[in-house]
Amino acid sequence: LLYLLFFVYGYLLFADPRFGEAIDRHKGVALVLGPVLFLVVTYFEITSWPGNPPSWSIPILIAYLIGLAPWLFIIAILGYGRRFLSFSNGFLRYTGLASYPYYMLHQTVIVFVGFFVVQWAASVAVKYALILVAALVVTAALYELLVRRFNVTRFLFGMRPLKKRQAEAPSVRPA
């Protein structure tokens, strides 16, 4: 339920652009305070409890700080992400479209490839590397050859259909 609250609050906050502007303004403070609160909470948890129960007010304060520190980290990450990661290029557009089909296909591919690779007489590191590379290659091939090119499979993976190619008009050059 805790992470559900992060999800719901995040949705509600980003529905209003003023919260995005506030995140942009306070990202530096959040970047400093998040780690500081994390260290303070860690210090109190390590030093206060063993053999020396704290007064009733300290656990309440620590509980608030434990809840505040992740929010500060999230504000810092979102603020700096909005600043430095607000761009697009061909690679990002391609991988953005491919992310859900990859997510759906990769587990099946890993299990299929792993079923055969784990039976080999090789070290765990070699098997892991082989499964990793083979799963990436097979998943990419399945996406590129079966999912991306056909409207039926695009629909099954929640992608928009391909537009039909329009007949190219003859180019007209001025005389």
Side-chain angles (χ1 to χ4, degrees):
L1 289 177
L2 173 67
Y3 294 112
L4 177 63
L5 285 176
F6 274 102
F7 179 77
V8 171
Y9 286 154
Y11 177 80
L12 293 175
L13 291 177
F14 271 89
D16 189 347
R18 293 177 295 174
F19 285 107
E21 295 165 4
I23 286 172
D24 291 340
R25 280 193 312 270
H26 300 295
K27 66 184 176 288
V29 173
L31 183 64
V32 172
L33 284 180
V36 168
L37 282 180
F38 176 76
L39 292 174
V40 167
V41 167
T42 303
Y43 172 78
F44 275 112
E45 286 182 344
I46 291 172
T47 61
S48 296
W49 270 252
N52 185 16
S55 69
W56 66 271
S57 60
I58 296 293
I60 292 173
L61 175 64
I62 295 299
Y64 283 120
L65 294 179
I66 288 171
L68 183 59
W71 281 105
L72 291 171
F73 278 113
I74 289 171
I75 289 170
I77 290 168
L78 290 175
Y80 284 104
R82 286 168 53 104
R83 173 142 187 233
F84 294 113
L85 301 176
S86 294
F87 63 90
S88 184
N89 57 34
F91 176 76
L92 291 177
R93 283 188 295 276
Y94 178 86
T95 55
L97 288 173
S99 62
Y100 187 64
Y102 267 63
Y103 171 72
M104 295 296 290
L105 293 170
H106 87 281
Q107 183 65 40
T108 304
V109 171
I110 288 171
V111 170
F112 182 78
V113 170
F115 176 78
F116 297 103
V117 172
V118 297
Q119 298 174 28
W120 296 352
S123 70
V124 172
V126 170
K127 291 178 185 180
Y128 176 78
L130 278 170
I131 292 171
L132 183 75
V133 171
L136 179 63
V137 169
V138 171
T139 304
L142 287 172
Y143 170 72
E144 190 61 39
L145 298 173
L146 299 177
V147 176
R148 184 171 177 251
R149 298 172 189 259
F150 303 105
N151 281 335
V152 172
T153 51
R154 289 177 70 89
F155 173 76
L156 293 173
F157 283 93
M159 299 171 68
R160 290 190 178 110
L162 293 172
K163 294 179 182 176
K164 294 181 181 179
R165 293 185 184 179
Q166 297 173 353
E168 293 184 25
S171 61
V172 178
R173 294 185 185 175

